[in-house]
Amino acid sequence: MPVSCSSCVEKRAMLKRPKTGHSLCKECFFMAFEEEVHQTIVNASLFKSGETVAIAASGGKDSTVLAHVMKVLNERYNYGLELMLISVDEGITGYRDDSLETVKRNQQQYELPLKIVSYEELYGWTMDAIVKQVGRKNNCTFCGVFRRQALDRGALMLKVDKICTGHNADDVAETVLMNVLRGDIARLRRCTTISTASEGEGVVPRCKPLKYAYEKEIVLYAYFKKLDYFSTECIYSPNAYRGHARTFLKDLESIRPSSIVDIIHSGENLSVREGVKMPVQGTCSRCGYISSQALCKSCVLLEGLNRGLPKLGIGKHHRLHGKILSQQPLTEKEERKLKSVES
Amino acid sequence: MFLFFISELKDAVRVRHSCPLFVKCLQKMCQMQRGAGSSSDPCRRPLLQVRPTWEVGAPPCSFFNESRTGSGSCCLSVRSCFREYFTHKFRAMLGKTRLIFPGEKVLLAVSGGPSSSAMLSQVQQGLGQSAQKKLRFLPGLVHIDEGGALGLSLGERQRLVSELKAIFQTSGFPFHVIPLEQVLDLPTSAVNTTPPSSDRAPDCYKAAGDGGELQQGGALAEPSVHEAQTRSLQQLLGSATTLTAKEELLRTLRQHLLVHEARTRGYSKLLLGESCTRLAVRLLTCVSLGRGAHLAQDTGFSDCRFGDVTFVRPMREFSAKEIAVYNHMFRVPTVVIPSLETKTLEKASIQRLSESFVSRLQQDFPSTVSTIYRTSEKLQTAGGGCCEEDGRCLLCLCSLDTAAGKASALQARLISEQLCCQKPAGTVKVEPSPPAGPCCSSADGECGSAAGGAVCCSSEAPEKKDLQKLLCYSCQLTLRDMSSVAHLPQYILTEAQRRKRRSLMKDEISEFLLEEEEGSS
Ligand SMILES: [Zn+2]
Ligand SMILES: [Zn+2]
Ligand SMILES: [Zn+2]
Ligand SMILES: [Zn+2]
Ligand SMILES: [Zn+2]
């Protein structure tokens, strides 16, 4: 017996919503999904009319669905936003080609301007060139640090007001679990916030309109909307702990589907004991990016690359920040220590 | 089964206690193992295999056995050092917080499991100490017999209870064995916070001075169980449709009964035997159950949500392993009590899943438990100490965390549930509801705010909706997983009615009430 849609009661249900267990037809599901994102945007006042908003596009499912939904809602509810896609090209031969192709196709479909910012533009170095200098063994450090800042630097370059990223509910819940397991109370407190205000010149405010959208529903939405995305998993540096947290979350979801939102609720309502030391967030004195040291990690890495001392950014050399800032020469001993990089 | 390594024992003891004699003993043990065995690093070999005493045919301890020829003296000093270390840690936990005052009546909740049995052993030992080191409170013991909830036979229940009573009797403390069925007859005060009475302290001092009747051990006024009560209890737990909800419900009922027992018998502190390992699992469970706001109360050293009775967790710095070694060394008697989780699969409930997750992670990353534990140290109770009764959850008595703003997980959950059920006005279509999956074909267009899973939201009883409003986020989830509220104990239903009437009253007179400002007198 065909099940009828629990919302419109007329059409035949095509899917069972992972979030609530309701059986819905395609149209009612689209409506519910989009409406929820709209409510999130409105309730958290994520945007103001007239703003230029960059959607971080990686070609993956989250950002593809985000771009689509943002475009739909901006028109449906007259947000008055200037939307654009921003994509980062690390400059690794062969690696980004497929995903960048997907982003380019998305751009045509959604008729949104696309800006691809390359590491070369941002840092003066492609990842290929970095690997050549530092060897394969250490390139992960560079990759992670540069990627974190690339969006901000790109957004600054393009003079956008806000960046929105495709982080979904699963990502947020997983981060809450990770921080509980790591005992990282400072991150635990921050990780559930839906948007970050501008903290310093180098940082563009970010927000997560899909914060309450389940990953499974994002896939369902993309599937039924026939959205085109590049489906390889993002290549995080392998992190055993995160893998465990993800598996745990999936198991929780199978026991009680609301677990994902329940964990986010937990994260939103934690209160931290007074007197627990929180790291002071400063800014990088060279580029203005958030940093607990005088120089942010990527500025240190760049300095190392440019001076031909790649080890500068690997390991702890905070003592040298002063010297670098004041452009003093390093001693011979210091140079020797920082030069050799085993490949 | 635990494998305990010499190196681990060294690490455990090094933290707080560096006794040269102990270290020497450990070295000697290393040498002996080297002589006896073949492994390259004797410190990495299991020092002793502590088997739970209930495992049939567990071999006798190989190392801490005094009768073992040639090693008697060594073992003796290791034993006394370990005891010293253990006791020091236990006393430090109680001492540094100064929570329990001399002469206070303190109730120990003893399940019969390893951790609470070790706690009992420590208290017994502490009272037998010389005057200076002596623990100066008046202990009593309570055990809740949950056999009825688990469907154990009467004979089985009697066997377990008599095993426990034998242990309790040797302690010489007054003890109370209460069947969980008693929870059905609690007064509404069990779900209300009572301010601590100021005149209790002098009373207790007097009692301490007398040293009289309280010191006499023995069971006090044993309540009996009627079959009908057991059936009601089983119906109540049976109305929970998931094991996750059932476990939370059982936990809540147990808490209410414990508080009531402590209150009526004049105990102002209730000691719980949860170990560091247990608490780490509980913390992760609580996060997963949406109890983020209550983490500090659920896992902290002390918990004063009930007002006049404070829950204290003095075993929270001991790992399950340390406790197992202690119990093994000192032959602390334990009783194996089955639980809801016994013989269930890993993914049967959130509680069960968290437990196996933590223990698996602990194997790969040995610092897991202590790291999670440290997370709990940094948290505090949300919403401050005392607030009005209608600001507290009817079931768990924690401050309500449901007043979140518009941009919150709670709102997001409600929005999703509403969106799936809203119907355009006028669509009246009566259809037989499909057997599986939700049906929202009622024409009223209104939808229960708490539908979830595969439960039909429009069929939700109004009593259930009313009750939801009195609960915190997490207890709402538990109630959502219950097929009906009809089997809830009367004290909960009565109190719910009372609160509902009060809030209606408040609505009626709201225009005359002046806004209470925070901080103003
Ligand atoms: Zn429909
Ligand atoms: Zn991803
Ligand atoms: Zn910088
Ligand atoms: Zn010692
Ligand atoms: Zn509650």
Side-chain angles (χ1 to χ4, degrees):
Chain A
M1 188 191 97
V3 178
S4 63
C5 170
S6 72
S7 182
C8 66
V9 198
E10 273 156 22
K11 292 203 198 77
R12 203 181 129 181
M14 295 283 285
L15 58 102
K16 202 171 156 197
R17 268 199 90 171
K19 211 176 190 174
T20 63
H22 288 97
S23 307
L24 294 181
C25 70
K26 236 165 47 175
E27 284 70 27
C28 287
F29 171 67
F30 291 155
M31 210 52 198
F33 185 89
E34 289 156 8
E35 205 53 29
E36 278 174 36
V37 179
H38 171 61
Q39 293 288 340
T40 306
I41 289 170
V42 173
N43 287 341
S45 343
L46 294 186
F47 308 111
K48 280 201 234 31
S49 182
E51 281 176 338
T52 306
V53 176
I55 299 162
S58 65
K61 59 179 182 320
D62 299 333
S63 65
T64 302
V65 167
L66 178 66
H68 180 87
V69 174
M70 284 299 292
K71 163 107 177 155
V72 167
L73 293 177
N74 192 32
E75 282 163 15
R76 185 182 299 161
Y77 292 104
N78 292 316
Y79 289 164
L81 300 178
E82 196 78 49
L83 295 177
M84 66 185 302
L85 299 172
I86 179 169
S87 210
V88 177
D89 182 4
E90 292 92 340
I92 307 173
T93 320
Y95 165 63
R96 272 292 175 203
D97 299 359
D98 292 340
S99 55
L100 283 178
E101 274 317 304
T102 316
V103 175
K104 280 176 196 157
R105 275 200 302 276
N106 286 344
Q107 171 205 12
Q108 285 156 12
Q109 281 171 339
Y110 308 153
E111 295 165 324
L112 293 174
L114 164 68
K115 178 67 192 159
I116 297 174
V117 288
S118 67
Y119 272 22
E120 185 131 46
E121 274 175 277
L122 295 175
Y123 302 109
W125 290 81
T126 66
M127 266 320 281
D128 282 347
I130 294 171
V131 173
K132 226 179 233 165
Q133 202 190 93
V134 304
R136 285 221 161 265
K137 211 171 145 197
N138 289 310
N139 66 358
C140 256
T141 318
F142 286 84
C143 200
V145 170
F146 281 178
R147 189 177 309 164
R148 235 165 288 147
Q149 267 196 38
L151 268 183
D152 284 299
R153 293 194 172 206
L156 272 183
M157 211 168 72
L158 302 171
K159 298 198 169 52
V160 304
D161 300 302
K162 267 166 198 164
I163 307 174
C164 55
T165 58
H167 290 96
N168 58 41
D170 298 52
D171 294 333
V172 177
E174 184 187 301
T175 312
V176 171
L177 290 175
M178 281 292 295
N179 290 328
V180 168
L181 294 175
R182 284 194 300 218
D184 191 334
I185 210 84
R187 281 223 180 79
L188 191 53
R189 222 164 48 155
R190 264 181 285 141
C191 70
T192 52
T193 51
I194 188 161
S195 58
T196 54
S198 181
E199 306 166 48
E201 294 161 54
V203 187
V204 179
R206 287 194 188 197
C207 62
K208 311 166 190 160
L210 299 182
K211 180 186 171 190
Y212 298 114
Y214 279 29
E215 188 168 274
K216 280 187 182 152
E217 302 211 338
I218 289 172
V219 178
L220 272 172
Y221 187 87
Y223 175 80
F224 283 111
K225 281 273 180 193
K226 299 194 172 61
L227 299 182
D228 182 19
Y229 66 82
F230 184 68
S231 62
T232 45
E233 276 299 302
C234 31
I235 50 142
Y236 279 115
S237 59
N239 180 329
Y241 241 75
R242 190 169 274 279
H244 286 295
R246 176 129 285 213
T247 314
F248 179 58
L249 186 70
K250 292 282 167 233
D251 289 343
L252 282 173
E253 191 190 1
S254 72
I255 297 174
R256 181 183 262 179
S258 69
S259 292
I260 294 174
V261 172
D262 300 343
I263 291 170
I264 301 178
H265 174 83
S266 278
E268 286 173 350
N269 286 278
L270 285 178
S271 58
V272 174
R273 191 179 286 281
E274 273 164 57
V276 170
K277 260 190 265 165
M278 288 293 162
V280 192
Q281 293 268 19
T283 50
C284 171
S285 43
R286 183 167 289 176
C287 72
Y289 195 77
I290 358 164
S291 166
S292 47
Q293 306 296 331
L295 276 176
C296 75
K297 197 94 199 226
S298 86
C299 284
V300 176
L301 286 176
L302 274 177
E303 184 75 21
L305 285 173
N306 295 336
R307 286 207 196 183
L309 305 168
K311 270 188 124 179
L312 191 60
I314 305 159
K316 295 197 188 298
H317 303 284
H318 303 319
R319 294 174 296 108
L320 302 178
H321 286 192
K323 274 192 175 176
I324 297 169
L325 268 176
S326 53
Q327 306 209 313
Q328 283 170 35
L330 300 177
T331 65
E332 212 171 294
K333 197 174 145 212
E334 282 165 343
E335 291 236 359
R336 216 179 319 117
K337 250 173 71 187
L338 296 171
K339 206 167 247 165
S340 65
V341 165
E342 66 289 3
S343 49
Chain B
M1 182 165 77
F2 294 100
L3 293 181
F4 209 76
F5 295 93
I6 291 184
S7 55
E8 268 182 286
L9 199 57
K10 271 186 191 161
D11 287 342
V13 175
R14 199 175 287 145
V15 182
R16 285 241 173 82
H17 186 88
S18 57
C19 162
L21 190 62
F22 187 37
V23 174
K24 224 168 108 189
C25 271
L26 285 171
Q27 280 165 353
K28 197 166 162 196
M29 283 181 351
C30 276
Q31 283 166 4
M32 284 171 55
Q33 285 217 324
R34 197 175 285 131
S38 51
S39 173
S40 50
D41 183 3
C43 281
R44 292 308 311 168
R45 254 185 297 139
L47 168 63
L48 78 159
Q49 301 185 347
V50 181
R51 292 209 181 186
T53 39
W54 60 88
E55 258 182 45
V56 190
C61 166
S62 56
F63 242 102
F64 294 101
N65 193 339
E66 286 147 283
S67 65
R68 200 184 138 116
T69 38
S71 60
S73 62
C74 171
C75 280
L76 274 177
S77 64
V78 168
R79 272 165 56 95
S80 66
C81 283
F82 190 75
R83 188 202 290 271
E84 203 184 307
Y85 153 75
F86 201 89
T87 307
H88 176 75
K89 203 158 152 182
F90 182 78
R91 302 296 289 268
M93 199 68 205
L94 286 179
K96 81 178 168 209
T97 50
R98 295 175 178 275
L99 208 64
I100 298 174
F101 49 83
E104 189 170 10
K105 280 180 77 180
V106 170
L107 192 57
L108 278 67
V110 181
S111 68
S115 196
S116 60
S117 299
M119 175 172 79
L120 170 58
S121 154
Q122 275 294 307
V123 170
Q124 256 175 284
Q125 197 197 314
L127 287 162
Q129 294 253 326
S130 55
Q132 214 189 352
K133 282 184 171 176
K134 196 175 153 118
L135 283 174
R136 283 146 59 88
F137 55 77
L138 302 174
L141 312 177
V142 64
H143 170 78
I144 302 215
D145 163 22
E146 297 173 9
L150 305 169
L152 299 186
S153 71
L154 214 59
E156 181 73 353
R157 289 178 75 172
Q158 273 161 358
R159 187 185 64 76
L160 291 171
V161 165
S162 63
E163 262 183 67
L164 268 159
K165 279 186 183 165
I167 296 174
F168 290 175
Q169 243 137 24
T170 37
S171 76
F173 304 144
F175 63 87
H176 322 277
V177 176
I178 318 282
L180 184 64
E181 282 85 346
Q182 296 262 301
V183 82
L184 300 168
D185 302 321
L186 290 187
T188 55
S189 63
V191 279
N192 277 300
T193 302
T194 316
S197 68
S198 48
D199 56 321
R200 178 163 288 137
D203 263 6
C204 287
Y205 278 116
K206 220 170 25 187
D210 297 344
E213 46 172 44
L214 279 166
Q215 289 298 339
Q216 292 162 7
L220 304 172
E222 196 104 337
S224 59
V225 194
H226 294 292
E227 225 177 294
Q229 286 178 307
T230 307
R231 255 199 316 277
S232 308
L233 180 68
Q234 283 169 352
Q235 269 180 332
L236 165 57
L237 289 165
S239 59
T241 55
T242 60
L243 187 60
T244 304
K246 197 176 284 185
E247 284 183 41
E248 285 308 290
L249 190 62
L250 182 61
R251 187 182 189 86
T252 305
L253 297 174
R254 187 191 300 133
Q255 248 175 15
H256 293 169
L257 190 54
L258 283 174
V259 169
H260 178 74
E261 280 305 310
R263 250 182 211 154
T264 50
R265 297 179 196 278
Y267 292 96
S268 42
K269 296 282 166 7
L270 189 98
L271 304 195
L272 301 169
E274 288 159 295
S275 66
C276 163
T277 314
R278 268 290 84 227
L279 288 170
V281 171
R282 184 65 196 159
L283 185 101
L284 200 64
T285 305
C286 284
V287 169
S288 311
L289 291 173
R291 295 188 62 80
H294 318 313
L295 288 181
Q297 281 164 305
D298 287 348
T299 63
F301 177 66
S302 72
D303 173 2
C304 51
R305 73 180 89 164
F306 299 98
D308 54 348
V309 177
T310 304
F311 284 16
V312 183
R313 301 184 174 91
M315 301 299 284
R316 69 194 299 264
E317 281 198 355
F318 293 103
S319 71
K321 213 179 234 180
E322 281 176 310
I323 289 167
V325 171
Y326 177 83
N327 287 352
H328 183 84
M329 272 190 194
F330 301 102
R331 302 206 173 90
V332 175
T334 56
V335 178
V336 191
I337 306 274
S339 75
L340 279 180
E341 291 181 355
T342 314
K343 287 187 196 151
T344 55
L345 294 172
E346 191 179 304
K347 289 183 195 170
S349 72
I350 290 179
Q351 295 86 342
R352 178 82 180 73
L353 179 73
S354 308
E355 189 182 344
S356 57
F357 174 70
V358 169
S359 71
R360 222 173 321 117
L361 211 56
Q362 176 74 11
Q363 274 168 21
D364 293 356
F365 308 92
S367 61
T368 302
V369 164
S370 55
T371 311
I372 302 177
Y373 170 79
R374 263 184 281 119
T375 309
S376 85
E377 294 277 76
K378 296 170 193 157
L379 300 169
Q380 74 170 1
T381 314
C386 48
C387 52
E388 265 189 271
E389 57 174 43
D390 43 326
R392 282 174 183 270
C393 173
L394 177 64
L395 287 181
C396 72
L397 276 86
C398 289
S399 308
L400 287 182
D401 55 352
T402 46
K406 281 195 296 177
S408 66
L410 175 64
Q411 277 306 314
R413 206 185 87 205
L414 297 181
I415 289 168
S416 332
E417 280 159 6
Q418 274 157 19
L419 278 174
C420 287
C421 304
Q422 258 167 15
K423 280 154 295 291
T427 353
V428 182
K429 205 165 191 177
V430 185
E431 267 181 76
S433 45
C439 58
C440 293
S441 38
S442 76
D444 58 355
E446 195 206 0
C447 185
S449 58
V455 187
C456 169
C457 40
S458 59
S459 70
E460 229 167 60
E463 309 90 70
K464 194 165 164 182
K465 282 190 220 168
D466 282 344
L467 205 54
Q468 292 281 19
K469 291 179 199 142
L470 303 173
L471 303 181
C472 72
Y473 182 98
S474 182
C475 291
Q476 283 185 7
L477 297 175
T478 303
L479 190 67
R480 190 187 66 185
D481 284 358
M482 287 177 71
S483 57
S484 116
V485 296
H487 299 298
L488 281 174
Q490 201 51 50
Y491 70 96
I492 294 177
L493 296 174
T494 309
E495 177 65 13
Q497 286 300 323
R498 196 187 66 80
R499 290 195 194 177
K500 190 185 164 192
R501 283 195 304 272
R502 258 194 88 73
S503 95
L504 285 176
M505 225 191 308
K506 202 171 169 186
D507 286 349
E508 226 171 282
I509 56 168
S510 62
E511 53 186 311
F512 305 106
L513 294 177
L514 300 173
E515 198 77 40
E516 248 180 89
E517 253 178 79
E518 220 150 295
S520 72
S521 53

